[in-house]
Amino acid sequence: MTDPADLSWDCPVLHVDMDAFYASVAARGRPDLAGRPVVVGGGSRGVVLSANYLARERGVRSAMPMTRARRLCPRAVVLAPDFDTFSSVSSSVIETFRRVTPLVEVLSLDEAFLDVSGSTRRLGSPREIAEQVRSYVHDEQGITCSVGVAAAPSVAKLGSRLAKPDGVVVVPPDQVVAVLHPLDVGDLYGVGEKTRSLLHRLGLVTVGDVARTPVPTLQRALGHHLGAHLHELAWGADRRPVVARHAPAFFGGEPDRSMGAQETFGFDTDDRDVVVRELLRLAGRVGRRMRVAGVAGRTVAITVRFADFTTITRSRTLPEATDVTSEIHRAATRLYDALGLQRARVRLVGVRVEGLVPCVRVHRQLLLGEPERGWREADRAVDRAIRRFGSDAVAPASLLGGRATRSA
DNA sequence: TCTGGGGTCCTAGGACCC
DNA sequence: TCTGGGGTCCTAGGACCC
């Protein structure tokens, strides 16, 4: 108990964030990569998913176009992402967290909140627990993480950022204001580039500036919700409890509200047939994931991004929820055709189904008829074949040979 | 040489109903 | 006959996060 402030915390929260997670996992067991910049990403039109710290020294950042990253850091080793491995390492790390506390709120593959208020008697001060978590992760998974410790989740999250890489930052309650207020407003969770520059234009540059601005003023500038929310965050007053849950729809988790898939073409296209075939592939992917999860949805939405990067969405709500690939595809195609595009060059299309509910709650009138019943059974057969033989085994006839259009 | 893919939430306007 | 308000659903877009 080196930290007297620890004792005054009614509810200490840890935010654990893996350091350059994808890049670290991808480089594990690769001594040949030691001392080299590593970038995970790919595709001719892709972006950086993760960069290790040597690559970051050259200015490489997440979400940066790969072309730019290669220019900034020609020596970088570029690795393709392997999400199966990332997921499995992530699951192991989360199991490690659960040895410390059952109150683990998983935010993504590489970060989580841990409420350790029930663990201090057994494991020591919050700082000591943070160090234990770090050594467990390092010893068992061979990667490093950073931990922020505070009484509020939002402050703990800022702490882990300040701790990076490979460190711990504890922000006791009586130091929250001193730590928060000098930071740039862009450091607040929920403030991206647009909101940051809006606030800067208003003369609100630091978190302290936001904290000292009346809530109604913030609400006029940012909207009712965000205005009030940012004011709270600026005082470190986020008292949202840590909720034990797994982000994706795993057991016990809340079902996703929507499921979608999208894909950028290898080359922009103005060929309707190419787009409609792609919509079929995407509808198939989404439908299969919905059937695996046991959910159905009523609203089908498409996204279309044009060559100039302008992006539109169109959606239509069906009379009945569906998880049938052909129904999703039909709705998506109608939405696309309703755009009435002539020579527009399309860069990306996406399909999403929203308003998901568990299938058991969908009281389909099964008198609906044979055609629909037939499609459902066809979907099940395809799902079974894919489970047995892999996703290359089965495809609608119209997709056969279609892949060349994406990679040619 | 530009800019991925998976999501969530908020806002705002219009339709519609009470 | 005129006027108003509240609630909900639908649609489109935007911002944000990892």
Side-chain angles (χ1 to χ4, degrees), chain A residues 348-368:
Chain A
L348 164 151
V349 286
V351 174
R352 177 164 294 277
V353 180
E354 302 168 350
L356 302 185
V357 291
C359 273
V360 290
R361 276 177 41 201
V362 180
H363 37 73
R364 281 190 162 266
Q365 301 125 0
L366 282 175
L367 45 107
L368 269 183

Side-chain angles (χ1 to χ4, degrees), chain A residues 103-107 111-114 240-246:
Chain A
L103 288 177
V104 177
E105 180 171 342
V106 180
L107 301 177
E111 57 176 310
F113 286 123
L114 280 63
R240 187 181 67 84
V242 173
V243 189
R245 69 182 181 95
H246 219 303

Side-chain angles (χ1 to χ4, degrees), chain A residues 355-398:
Chain A
L356 302 185
V357 291
C359 273
V360 290
R361 276 177 41 201
V362 180
H363 37 73
R364 281 190 162 266
Q365 301 125 0
L366 282 175
L367 45 107
L368 269 183
E370 298 313 309
E372 195 253 345
R373 186 182 170 80
W375 283 118
R376 288 183 67 82
E377 281 168 10
D379 279 348
R380 307 271 171 212
V382 170
D383 293 346
R384 281 195 297 275
I386 286 174
R387 268 201 303 279
R388 283 188 63 188
F389 304 115
S391 59
D392 290 336
V394 183
S398 66

